[in-house]
Amino acid sequence: MPPGHFGVPLRADGNRLQAESVMDIRNIAIIAHVDHGKTTLVDRILHTTKVFRDNQETGELIMDSNDLERERGITIFSKNAAVTYKDVKINVIDTPGHADFGGEVERVLKMADGVILLVDAFEGPMPQTRFVLQKALQLNLKPIVVINKVDKPNCRPDEVHDAVFELFFNLDASEEQLNFPTYYGSGKNGWFNDSLTPVEDITPLMDGILKYVPEPKVTEGTLQMQITSLDYSSFLGRIAVGKVTRGSIKENQPIALMQADGTVKKQRVKELYVFEGMGKRKVTEVMAGDLCAVVGLEGFNIGDTISDQENMEALPVISVDEPTMNMLFSINNSPFYGKDGKFVTSRHLRDRLMKETEKNLALRVFDTDSGDSFQVYGRGILHLGVLIETMRREGYELTVGQPQVIVKHIDGKRHEPYENLVVDVPQEFASKVIDLVTRRKGEMLVMETKGEMQHLEFEIPSRGLIGLRTQMLTATTGEAVMNHRFTEYKGWKGSIPGRNNGVLISKNTEKTTGYSIDKLQDRGTFFVDPGEDIYAGQIVAENIKPGDLVVNVTEGKKLTNHRASGSDDATRIAPKTLMTLEECMEYIQHDECIEVTPNFIRMRKIYLDENERNRFQKMLKADVEA
């Protein structure tokens, strides 16, 4: 069984089913920007507290157990581990660093009493750092600042410390929160200390957690526990995870499940688990202040309160920031429908999306006029892209449309979401970045020099970010580091230029040939290789000019009895351009969509037939003129 599976007997002593003592617990969340070393720090904590045997193979990124997380090198789902240090149980909550997964962060912070804010010693606080820290400070959590990667060249720990203090001040931190302890070190090299002097391990930081993170605040009274996370076991079904804030919860106890809409369901707890190491162990009772997993409840959602049946009191519902982007998810209706995936019907698609909304708080799914399509609302392209990629790996076939921002009408005027965009780029490329962003209605707020890099901050409509990353990486030869976070809704900025060039569209449904692609190479950059199955209406290349062109890429070479000198030279074909799912989502226009199957990602026109496409364009033009 994998680590963390329910029912794994992680302790075999006689006290196995005893309740936890409230005084010996610390609940701490680790928050940081993407790639600042958060998961590596969690690895160090797990190794320092001897969660694993000395001879046990663990590898790295232990908490990032999901395949997608390991491939992308980011944390997507928040996870829990529990370690024991100096007879104190420390519940460690690893949180995502990307603002698109803010829904995950906002709910799991409810389980913590303190936070470790991890900051890169060169980059300093980034937009997502600000986003998550703001949530933590609003919940009045006690912060510990850890400045990581002090072994890197160009690092500037003292400046970063000042920048963190300034960030706390700007976020209206209390006097106590402003007086935060700071630790320096290198997660990669395995040391953290309260000064810049290297030590052998991370024990100074572990001592700091015991010293500065308060014990859980417990109020007297009957049971109260908010469900802040979900787990699933094929043996036990859906499992509610949360922190007991008052009283205690016992095995076999009758409870009241109080839901956000005011309904109350009377149920009974079947089994209780607490976190231990990377897994869980079964207990008979959990006291206030500890995190636990409750088995046996039905029909619960994140944010519901588990309360005593005699004294029913609900906790405030978890509020999550609204989605800012939406996409149309439809069944796959291409000629290659059903060839690749296991789940292809609209019922499969609907059930899977509804199941996702149960645990993905920032996601919304709505039915449309068509029974085959669903409107899906999310936090951003990465948030929706991870959902599509997960479904693809599970065997689903679907078609997704162009991402659209959510427009609101406030006081009779059109408003759209705006983002704070931060770009760090070598100085010679700064002018190109400024030009790209301002063309997309961005306004520059900050321009300062950090070593050899130029630090730029902009305010830009969310629409302007769609497709910007690809253009920026091309313009800066891959040197730009770009981050953004949602700030607020403001007035509509007018039209933003989209993709400049048109596309080449396949005329036939057949296999591509090297002969045809070779003859068309001067017309565009191809997304397909010779010998690939394609269909009429599929996008096979980017045109070098504006406007779309229908081409035949399936024609074979005519064989004759005569051979002319030089005519049989091997065709020299450039390899196809590989595009990730997110790049495709940013690339397509309003009349295009993406076919997603377990083994293929194809871009195509919504109307595959050329005559239908022309009719649609004429109707659209007439609507615009009207």
Side-chain angles (χ1 to χ4, degrees):
M1 282 186 183
H5 198 288
F6 276 85
V8 177
L10 292 173
R11 191 191 281 181
D13 58 29
N15 300 321
R16 187 165 172 260
L17 297 179
Q18 294 302 307
E20 299 287 334
S21 160
V22 70
M23 300 311 289
D24 303 345
I25 295 173
R26 301 286 187 280
N27 299 319
I28 190 152
I30 300 182
I31 59 178
H33 181 75
V34 180
D35 215 24
H36 278 199
K38 181 163 32 71
T39 306
T40 307
L41 172 61
V42 177
D43 289 356
R44 292 283 168 241
I45 292 172
L46 293 170
H47 284 296
T48 302
T49 52
K50 299 280 190 284
V51 167
F52 306 105
R53 298 187 309 276
D54 290 340
N55 63 347
Q56 192 170 345
E57 277 290 323
T58 57
E60 292 180 334
L61 307 179
I62 302 159
M63 292 281 270
D64 283 353
S65 50
N66 180 282
D67 287 344
L68 258 179
E69 293 180 309
R70 284 179 168 272
E71 282 172 27
R72 291 168 184 246
I74 59 171
T75 301
I76 295 170
F77 309 103
S78 64
K79 289 172 259 344
N80 297 35
V83 299
T84 305
Y85 179 73
K86 295 188 175 174
D87 295 329
V88 177
K89 179 180 180 181
I90 303 171
N91 285 311
V92 180
I93 305 158
D94 185 13
T95 64
H98 204 288
D100 277 23
F101 308 110
E104 285 276 314
V105 177
E106 283 160 48
R107 57 189 172 81
V108 298
L109 286 179
K110 289 261 187 178
M111 298 195 280
D113 299 295
V115 291
I116 289 180
L117 173 66
L118 195 68
V119 186
D120 186 295
F122 171 70
E123 291 184 351
M126 299 293 276
Q128 276 95 342
T129 318
R130 183 189 184 95
F131 168 82
V132 186
L133 180 63
Q134 189 171 17
K135 302 288 177 194
L137 294 177
Q138 285 168 357
L139 290 167
N140 206 24
L141 302 182
K142 175 71 182 171
I144 295 174
V145 172
V146 176
I147 295 176
N148 191 20
K149 305 188 183 181
V150 296
D151 56 319
K152 280 172 72 175
N154 303 333
C155 71
R156 41 195 195 97
D158 295 333
E159 285 177 50
V160 167
H161 181 271
D162 295 343
V164 171
F165 184 85
E166 201 175 309
L167 176 62
F168 271 73
F169 185 77
N170 292 340
L171 293 175
D172 297 327
S174 66
E175 196 70 38
E176 190 188 355
Q177 287 171 332
L178 279 171
N179 193 21
F180 54 81
T182 307
Y183 289 83
Y184 302 87
S186 164
K188 187 179 171 187
N189 296 332
W191 68 272
F192 285 103
N193 197 3
D194 54 6
S195 68
L196 282 163
T197 312
V199 286
E200 287 183 7
D201 52 24
I202 69 163
T203 48
L205 176 60
M206 299 300 290
D207 291 333
I209 292 174
L210 302 191
K211 182 178 175 183
Y212 295 111
V213 177
E215 293 157 357
K217 294 183 188 74
V218 175
T219 50
E220 290 299 314
T222 53
L223 167 66
Q224 260 191 331
M225 168 183 163
Q226 188 157 43
I227 299 169
T228 49
S229 192
L230 296 180
D231 209 332
Y232 184 80
S233 157
S234 48
F235 301 106
L236 304 170
R238 288 171 79 231
I239 295 145
V241 178
K243 176 181 167 187
V244 184
T245 49
R246 197 174 75 184
S248 68
I249 186 166
K250 299 186 176 86
E251 199 174 59
N252 222 21
Q253 178 180 351
I255 56 100
L257 184 68
M258 307 182 74
Q259 304 198 289
D261 58 5
T263 56
V264 177
K265 296 178 181 173
K266 296 201 170 179
Q267 301 194 18
R268 188 177 289 274
V269 176
K270 284 186 185 167
E271 290 180 355
L272 278 176
Y273 291 84
V274 291
F275 295 93
E276 185 171 280
M278 291 293 292
K280 303 171 183 74
R281 69 179 167 92
K282 195 174 175 187
V283 292
T284 52
E285 183 178 6
V286 179
M287 307 299 287
D290 202 357
L291 313 185
C292 72
V294 183
V295 175
L297 306 184
E298 290 176 10
F300 63 84
N301 294 306
I302 287 172
D304 293 353
T305 302
I306 297 172
S307 175
D308 188 73
Q309 277 194 10
E310 306 299 318
N311 184 21
M312 294 191 288
E313 284 181 72
L315 288 160
V317 178
I318 298 172
S319 63
V320 172
D321 286 356
E322 290 293 306
T324 57
M325 201 163 272
N326 69 337
M327 287 176 78
L328 194 69
F329 281 50
S330 312
I331 59 165
N332 182 11
N333 57 2
S334 84
F336 296 164
Y337 153 85
K339 282 189 175 181
D340 203 26
K342 288 188 289 185
F343 308 111
V344 292
T345 66
S346 57
R347 184 178 59 82
H348 285 138
L349 187 59
R350 188 179 196 283
D351 290 351
R352 176 66 182 83
L353 290 171
M354 291 305 171
K355 184 181 166 191
E356 186 68 24
T357 57
E358 290 179 357
K359 63 176 188 290
N360 198 332
L361 278 198
L363 200 77
R364 311 266 191 284
V365 178
F366 298 99
D367 292 320
T368 62
D369 299 339
S370 160
D372 294 339
S373 302
F374 307 92
Q375 204 74 40
V376 180
Y377 290 69
R379 274 282 181 85
I381 282 184
L382 185 62
H383 184 211
L384 293 166
V386 164
L387 168 62
I388 297 164
E389 183 65 36
T390 306
M391 289 173 67
R392 177 169 100 91
R393 292 176 184 220
E394 289 171 3
Y396 285 83
E397 278 192 20
L398 63 152
T399 306
V400 293
Q402 185 191 25
Q404 307 279 352
V405 297
I406 297 166
V407 178
K408 290 183 177 179
H409 289 273
I410 304 168
D411 300 331
K413 291 183 180 174
R414 229 171 154 196
H415 283 63
E416 63 176 326
Y418 277 68
E419 312 238 354
N420 171 244
L421 169 68
V422 176
V423 184
D424 286 303
V425 67
Q427 289 181 2
E428 65 264 30
F429 298 120
S431 58
K432 288 184 179 178
V433 170
I434 295 165
D435 180 48
L436 272 174
V437 177
T438 47
R439 267 195 266 156
R440 289 165 170 264
K441 302 285 195 278
E443 289 180 19
M444 191 157 72
L445 308 174
V446 176
M447 182 176 186
E448 58 188 30
T449 306
K450 277 188 184 176
E452 295 169 7
M453 304 289 274
Q454 201 74 30
H455 176 79
L456 308 168
E457 286 190 31
F458 303 89
E459 183 182 67
I460 184 171
S462 297
R463 285 181 300 143
L465 290 170
I466 298 173
L468 178 63
R469 187 182 298 273
T470 313
Q471 286 189 355
M472 194 177 286
L473 289 175
T474 307
T476 63
T477 63
E479 294 279 341
V481 178
M482 172 179 149
N483 296 288
H484 54 88
R485 68 177 185 93
F486 167 70
T487 49
E488 60 182 325
Y489 270 82
K490 291 171 83 173
W492 182 262
K493 260 286 180 87
S495 65
I496 290 176
R499 190 178 72 204
N500 294 327
N501 295 358
V503 290
L504 303 186
I505 306 159
S506 172
K507 184 180 178 182
N508 315 13
T509 302
E510 221 177 310
K511 271 190 181 356
T512 56
T513 62
Y515 175 76
S516 293
I517 292 176
D518 182 44
K519 294 284 178 279
L520 290 164
Q521 273 193 115
D522 57 345
R523 290 294 183 96
T525 312
F526 274 82
F527 304 135
V528 291
D529 275 335
E532 278 190 37
D533 285 313
I534 58 164
Y535 50 80
Q538 184 177 331
I539 295 169
V540 291
E542 178 175 20
N543 196 351
I544 57 167
K545 297 176 182 174
D548 296 343
L549 199 63
V550 178
V551 294
N552 181 359
V553 285
T554 62
E555 188 183 6
K557 185 176 180 185
K558 302 289 184 287
L559 300 175
T560 65
N561 293 337
H562 303 286
R563 287 171 182 254
S565 164
S567 64
D568 284 309
D569 280 356
T571 51
R572 293 182 183 85
I573 297 172
K576 70 176 179 182
T577 302
L578 288 167
M579 289 175 77
T580 64
L581 178 61
E582 275 93 24
E583 285 170 341
C584 290
M585 286 161 70
E586 291 188 338
Y587 184 81
I588 59 171
Q589 299 295 294
H590 64 90
D591 63 334
E592 297 163 2
C593 58
I594 309 165
E595 176 193 354
V596 181
T597 73
N599 294 309
F600 298 98
I601 295 172
R602 302 181 182 101
M603 290 184 286
R604 48 163 280 197
K605 290 290 181 181
I606 292 172
Y607 295 101
L608 296 176
D609 182 70
E610 192 178 353
N611 296 325
E612 278 187 32
R613 271 201 304 279
N614 294 337
R615 202 177 305 128
F616 171 70
Q617 290 295 347
K618 282 177 188 169
M619 282 165 54
L620 204 67
K621 198 174 177 184
D623 286 348
V624 170
E625 286 169 359

